[in-house]
Amino acid sequence: MLWSKHSPHLARISSARPTFDDNDEPRSLKREPLTPSTEVKFRMFYPDHSYSTLKLQLASTVSDIAKQAAEKLAISYEDCVVFEMKSTSEKLIFKENETCIVTTLSHNGRLFAAQKGGIEKLKPLLEQEGPNSSSFNELEIMSSRELALQMTLYDFELFNCVYESEFVVSVFKKSHFPDKIVGNLDCFLARFNEVQHWLLRKFVLTPLISKRVHILRKFIKIAQHCRDFQNMLAFFGIIMGLSNIAVSRLTQTWEKLPGKFKKLFKEFESLLDPTRNHRTYRLAVSKQESPFIPSCHC
């Protein structure tokens, strides 16, 4: 489910994301940019699928994290390895000098620590298999316009927190800028994937065609409002989600979609054309006035 701090009705999309601490006091509605000294609470999982909650600064290295995890595992720090466990059982091992790793986790990834040489047979958590049910009524809590507005308010906060230098660091690799983090940019880019996963989950967990048609209409309308609000991040997140094979293969659902919605979606989908360096998208953006939220699909 989508989450926005502006709406109590929408729950956070992914429990894999860390929570950012503000001296354990209630936070204001306005999101504050992440800095190297920002303290973050996150779950560290272990081979037996137990976990502990760690609290460290974003600038902390993997070595710093491994030292705390090694105590829990009752092993020496030198024998501890920290890695991301993906839902596909793929394991991404972090280097000792890497920083800000909690913001780089994939949508359904979890942070694990284990003894070196013993990670090959480890399996993902049960929760990483994803939900097996979904509530159709969640989308009816708000109108399409209100949902798009809440998404835009939250997405703009994410984008507004990104420092220009983070784009430079991201392009030229963090190894060249050891004292810099790109946590704000990581959160902004992750949002794009979160929107797609939210949409896909709604479709694949809804068995009735009539309800899927209703969901399809709802998302197309949300995308239209996001475009009107100049939220290209959410707009393209929705359109790319609807273009995903998991949704596009639902031929009976698309056949029952009213013609005006088919036409509208085809118009939106044309903006995904990657030819000539995404010229269609660039022309559309050039006609918008600031402020607007750019997409990260290019």
Side-chain angles (χ1 to χ4, degrees), residues 190-297:
R191 178 65 170 177
F192 185 75
N193 293 326
E194 289 175 346
V195 171
Q196 290 187 68
H197 280 279
W198 171 57
L199 180 153
L200 292 173
R201 188 170 71 240
K202 286 299 177 189
F203 274 96
V204 300
L205 296 179
T206 302
L208 297 179
I209 294 178
S210 59
K211 289 187 176 181
R212 285 206 301 261
V213 173
H214 182 82
I215 291 174
L216 184 55
R217 293 176 57 179
K218 184 88 172 185
F219 273 115
I220 291 176
K221 287 193 289 185
I222 293 173
Q224 183 177 28
H225 289 302
C226 284
R227 186 188 63 172
D228 294 341
F229 291 142
Q230 301 193 139
N231 182 358
M232 306 308 287
L233 180 76
F235 171 78
F236 279 105
I238 293 174
I239 299 306
M240 291 191 73
L242 294 178
S243 300
N244 187 284
I245 186 63
V247 178
S248 62
R249 67 178 177 80
L250 302 173
T251 55
Q252 294 183 52
T253 300
W254 286 94
E255 287 174 357
K256 294 182 180 296
L257 184 69
K260 67 176 184 179
F261 285 97
K262 291 180 181 178
K263 182 179 180 181
L264 192 59
F265 176 71
K266 188 174 182 180
E267 174 191 337
F268 292 163
E269 197 174 32
S270 67
L271 294 175
L272 295 175
D273 183 8
T275 59
R276 300 180 67 181
N277 196 22
H278 296 273
R279 182 174 184 273
T280 306
Y281 167 71
R282 290 187 289 107
L283 287 177
V285 169
S286 68
K287 299 176 182 178
Q288 295 181 336
E289 297 181 0
S290 296
F292 70 89
I293 306 172
S295 172
C296 59
H297 77 285

Side-chain angles (χ1 to χ4, degrees), residues 123-141:
K123 300 296 182 183
L125 303 173
L126 185 61
E127 66 185 52
Q128 289 182 267
E129 295 180 3
N132 52 25
S133 63
S134 179
S135 174
F136 172 77
N137 295 326
E138 290 170 355
L139 288 175
E140 300 309 308
I141 294 175

